[in-house]
């Protein structure tokens, strides 16, 4: 099996490491496409492997073929590059998010059908044993009907985060193309998507949304928002709550409470690595760490190509998340945090809002919106 990697820097270094360490003689790392390869942090290791490198996918496909193309580039390139790979006969593992907009995702779905190949979307929690086992129990009715799901994340980010090499961080658009990069579409997309994923009517489906309301705030000097609160209702009338920020003073890793008739499923990464279900009668089930084997998605996609099956998370699975992002852009205005509350942490080169961290977790506890006077 021949593999192409598109993008070799940033988050893609994890893919590089996994591919370098892969010992299966039937798997050949056929090439890399990255116009910025000269500054790739893993360049020496890649060169030692003798991997051919090209600036464009068209150049690669002039000389090679690939059974699986892994796309790990900025989201505004996902649609174009995924469809290019399909058109050259490759299956695709595309990093999350699927694409900037729901309309882009629809074009990718149409291309899957046109070329008869799948595009897997790299939401690693969807590929994790912990989340898949949890979803299987939800589908079996083990917990009873879902009542509500909520998630919170406080992940401060530095100014360097928004100054990434190709200057797309925090952008709404670039060169006339929608980017819609935000905390909800990128860094914390996994945790928003996961609520939809576990409520899907089958293992490869996500719940759709019927209603969305929310708030978007901005402290950093960016186009898009760095803080958001969403109240979402799924097509099955299950309420979802999501709150996240890159502009807090303190870090608190992802946590959630998924409430069902017979149990609550709890995850607090800052306290424990495991997802735990606690039943009303006191019984507990430990599902394990959803971050274990982050790049299991590669091996699942390789197995799917070999066995002529379809991975568990595809474009269709990821489309409800894309719908939230597009509707947010169309429907929810961005509010500036009061200037007198915005501070600069010089040691860590980042912006934070006074009192925001505390307000986020007060809001999370009561599933409420943030007050403007933070």
């Amino acid at each position: 099996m021949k593999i192409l990697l598109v993008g070799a820097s940033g988050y893609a270094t994890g893919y590089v490491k996994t591919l370098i360490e892969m010992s299966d003689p039937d798997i050949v790392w056929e090439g890399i496409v990255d116009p910025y390869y000269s500054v790739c942090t893993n360049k020496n290791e890649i060169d030692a492997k003798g991997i051919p490198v090209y600036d464009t996918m068209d150049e690669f496909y002039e000389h090679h073929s690939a059974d699986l193309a892994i796309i790990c580039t900025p989201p505004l390139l996902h649609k174009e590059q995924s469809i290019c790979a399909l058109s050259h006969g490759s299956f695709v593992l595309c990093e999350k998010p699927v694409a900037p907009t729901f309309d882009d995702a629809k074009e990718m779905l149409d291309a899957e059908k046109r070329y008869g190949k799948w595009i897997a979307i790299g939401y690693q929690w969807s590929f994790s044993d912990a989340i898949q086992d949890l979803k299987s129990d939800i589908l079996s009715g083990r917990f009873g009907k879902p009542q509500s799901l909520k998630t919170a994340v406080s992940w401060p980010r530095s100014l360097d985060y928004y100054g990434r090499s190709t200057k797309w961080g925090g952008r709404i658009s670039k060169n006339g193309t929608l980017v819609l990069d935000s905390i909800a579409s990128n860094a914390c997309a996994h945790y928003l998507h996961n609520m939809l994923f576990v409520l899907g009517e089958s293992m490869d489906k996500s719940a759709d949304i019927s209603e969305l309301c929310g708030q978007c705030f901005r402290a950093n000097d960016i186009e898009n928002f760095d803080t958001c609160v969403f109240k979402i209702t799924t097509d099955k009338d299950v309420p979802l709550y999501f709150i996240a920020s890159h502009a807090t003073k303190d870090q608190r890793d992802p946590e959630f409470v998924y409430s069902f008739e017979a149990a609550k499923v709890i995850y607090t990464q800052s306290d424990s690595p495991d997802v735990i279900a606690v039943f009303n009668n006191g019984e507990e089930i430990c599902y394990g760490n959803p971050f274990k084997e982050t790049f299991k998605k590669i091996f699942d996609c390789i197995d799917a190509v070999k066995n002529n099956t379809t991975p568990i998370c595809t474009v269709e699975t990821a489309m409800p998340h894309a719908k939230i992002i597009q509707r947010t852009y169309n429907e929810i205005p961005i509010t500036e945090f009061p200037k007198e509350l915005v501070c600069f942490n010089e040691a860590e080169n980042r912006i934070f809002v006074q009192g925001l961290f505390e307000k986020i977790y007060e809001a999370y506890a009561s599933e409420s919106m943030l007050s403007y006077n933070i």
Side-chain angles (χ1 to χ4, degrees):
M1 175 182 293
K2 294 183 286 188
I3 294 177
L4 163 66
L5 177 62
V6 184
S9 298
Y11 184 76
T13 57
Y15 282 106
V16 171
K17 184 176 185 294
T18 302
L19 291 170
I20 285 175
E21 293 176 352
M22 202 172 284
S23 58
D24 188 336
D26 295 329
I27 296 172
V28 177
W29 188 359
E30 189 75 2
I32 288 174
V33 171
D34 192 331
Y36 304 100
Y37 178 71
S38 62
V39 296
C40 176
T41 56
N42 287 320
K43 184 176 184 300
N44 291 339
E45 294 94 327
I46 295 169
D47 289 346
K49 289 284 186 179
I51 309 297
V53 179
Y54 299 90
D55 285 343
T56 70
M57 294 178 70
D58 286 339
E59 289 174 354
F60 169 84
Y61 281 114
E62 282 179 13
H63 304 282
H64 306 268
S65 62
D67 300 294
L68 177 66
I70 300 173
I71 311 294
C72 192
T73 56
L76 71 163
L77 301 176
H78 286 182
K79 179 186 73 173
E80 173 189 348
Q81 292 177 333
S82 293
I83 294 175
C84 176
L86 294 181
S87 73
H88 285 92
S90 302
F91 292 95
V92 176
L93 167 55
C94 177
E95 250 315 304
K96 62 80 190 164
V98 56
T101 72
F102 184 74
D103 293 336
D104 290 334
K106 286 195 293 186
E107 289 187 47
M108 293 167 72
L109 184 64
D110 290 342
E112 280 186 307
K113 297 173 181 177
R114 183 163 67 252
Y115 293 109
K117 303 282 185 181
W118 44 255
I119 304 171
I121 305 302
Y123 283 108
Q124 58 252 31
W125 273 20
S126 298
F127 291 88
S128 78
D129 291 336
I131 296 299
Q132 289 186 17
D133 289 346
L134 169 64
K135 183 170 181 176
S136 179
D137 280 349
I138 292 171
L139 285 170
S140 74
R142 189 170 189 175
F143 306 132
K145 292 181 180 179
Q147 296 179 325
S148 66
L149 283 70
K150 66 177 183 177
T151 299
V153 192
S154 173
W155 269 356
R157 288 293 184 265
S158 71
L159 301 186
D160 294 335
Y161 174 81
Y162 289 112
R164 297 191 291 277
S165 58
T166 50
K167 308 301 181 186
W168 57 273
R171 297 286 294 272
I172 290 176
S173 64
K174 183 178 179 182
N175 300 327
T177 300
L178 285 177
V179 179
L180 304 186
D181 182 67
S182 72
I183 188 168
S185 70
N186 193 355
C188 294
H190 296 282
Y191 318 114
L192 178 54
H193 163 79
N194 196 63
M195 291 191 288
L196 302 164
F197 177 71
V198 299
L199 293 181
E201 63 186 16
S202 61
M203 287 299 291
D204 61 344
K205 297 287 193 301
S206 295
D208 202 355
I209 69 166
S210 59
E211 297 178 19
L212 169 69
C213 65
Q215 297 169 304
C216 296
F217 294 93
R218 176 173 54 215
N220 285 275
D221 184 18
I222 55 175
E223 291 180 349
N224 217 352
F225 57 91
D226 53 36
T227 301
C228 64
V229 188
F230 294 147
K231 288 188 174 184
I232 300 161
T233 304
T234 72
D235 54 346
K236 303 296 185 183
D237 293 323
V238 180
L240 312 180
Y241 179 85
F242 178 80
I243 188 165
S245 180
H246 283 329
T248 47
K249 184 177 180 180
D250 301 310
Q251 176 165 324
R252 187 161 159 180
D253 288 327
E255 58 190 78
F256 64 68
V257 178
Y258 297 170
S259 298
F260 297 83
E261 288 178 322
K264 289 186 185 297
V265 182
I266 300 167
Y267 178 71
T268 308
Q269 185 188 346
S270 295
D271 297 334
S272 169
D274 297 328
V275 175
I276 306 289
V278 181
F279 287 84
N280 297 344
N281 63 7
E283 176 191 353
E284 293 189 4
I285 300 174
C286 178
Y287 288 96
N289 183 354
F291 283 106
K292 185 180 179 182
E293 297 181 309
T294 297
F295 288 92
K296 178 175 175 286
K297 51 194 170 185
I298 298 179
F299 300 99
D300 284 6
C301 287
I302 288 172
D303 288 344
V305 174
K306 286 181 176 179
N307 299 320
N308 196 30
T309 57
T310 302
I312 204 161
C313 185
T314 62
V315 171
E316 185 176 6
T317 320
M319 286 178 75
H321 173 268
K323 183 182 289 186
I324 292 172
I325 301 307
Q326 184 155 335
R327 284 189 58 177
T328 298
Y329 169 66
N330 291 332
E331 300 171 18
I332 302 177
I334 300 171
T335 299
E336 301 281 350
F337 282 111
K339 294 296 184 185
E340 64 271 18
L341 298 180
V342 178
C343 304
F344 181 62
N345 182 328
E346 186 173 357
E348 298 180 10
N349 191 34
R350 63 180 178 84
I351 298 291
F352 70 92
V353 179
Q354 290 181 12
L356 178 59
F357 178 85
E358 292 79 8
K359 287 291 186 181
I360 279 178
Y361 289 95
E362 290 172 9
Y364 178 62
S366 59
E367 299 180 30
S368 59
M369 294 297 186
L370 286 171
S371 62
Y372 180 79
N373 295 317
I374 301 297

